[in-house]
């Protein structure tokens, strides 16, 4: 006989865990339970290798149908159809909340705001997390040719 008073608790815990695992395997597979989390999809805008440096430049990205939602303090979320971001070297990452627009119109702007180049592109989204059933982050890349 075991004199350790913790033994019944350990044995009971093992029994409960074994039962839970066994019952989890009894599901018929038709129900998908997704975690209650959010994510953001990413659009990577790359300047082709022939681009000269664009110090102080920026990107303007128009999305169809929309780029995502903006939360306005004291108000309801509103759809955003344009994003702007400073150029970050040859490649810039833009977060689009949980959106995956069909197409974008990308404009590369100089430090003075003048348009240096533009590109209209359909997007090819690739899943980089999550699952088809539950959704998850996606990523698409657009390369803007040199002017």
């Amino acid at each position: 006989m075991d004199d350790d008073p913790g033994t019944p608790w350990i044995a009971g815990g093992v029994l409960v865990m074994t039962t839970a695992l066994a019952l989890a395997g009894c599901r018929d597979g038709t129900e998908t339970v997704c975690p209650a989390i959010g994510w953001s999809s990413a659009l990577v805008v790359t300047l082709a290798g022939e681009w000269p440096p664009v110090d102080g430049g920026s990107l303007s990205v128009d999305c169809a149908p929309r780029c995502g939602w903006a939360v306005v303090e004291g108000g309801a979320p509103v759809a955003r159809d344009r994003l702007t971001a400073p150029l970050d070297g040859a490649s810039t990452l833009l977060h689009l909340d949980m959106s995956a627009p069909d197409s974008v119109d990308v404009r590369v702007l100089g430090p003075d705001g003048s348009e240096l180049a533009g590109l209209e592109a359909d997007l090819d989204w690739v899943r980089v997390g999550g699952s088809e059933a539950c959704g998850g982050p996606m990523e698409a890349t657009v390369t803007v040719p040199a002017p």
Side-chain angles (χ1 to χ4, degrees):
M1 180 166 173
D2 192 349
D3 291 334
D4 183 6
T7 301
W9 290 103
I10 294 171
V14 169
L15 179 62
V16 168
M17 290 302 295
T18 304
T19 303
L21 289 172
L23 291 175
C26 293
R27 291 185 17 173
D28 65 358
T30 59
E31 180 183 339
T32 301
V33 178
C34 298
I37 60 171
W39 65 86
S40 68
S41 292
L43 174 64
V44 180
V45 178
T46 302
L47 301 182
E50 304 81 34
W51 270 88
V54 186
D55 296 329
S58 61
L59 293 174
S60 174
V61 179
D62 292 316
C63 304
R66 65 179 177 82
C67 297
W69 294 97
V71 178
V72 179
E73 189 172 334
V78 294
R80 296 183 302 177
D81 58 0
R82 175 174 290 160
L83 296 174
T84 56
L87 277 173
D88 188 19
S91 183
T92 301
L93 177 72
L94 296 115
H95 291 280
L96 308 179
D97 71 28
M98 296 167 61
S99 301
D102 299 327
S103 62
V104 291
D105 184 4
V106 178
R107 302 285 172 227
V108 179
L109 306 174
D112 62 353
S114 63
E115 184 176 314
L116 303 177
L119 175 70
E120 293 181 24
D122 292 330
L123 299 176
D124 184 23
W125 291 97
V126 176
R127 184 168 307 287
V128 294
S131 69
E132 187 66 35
C134 292
M138 307 277 281
E139 185 174 284
T141 301
V142 173
T143 301
V144 180

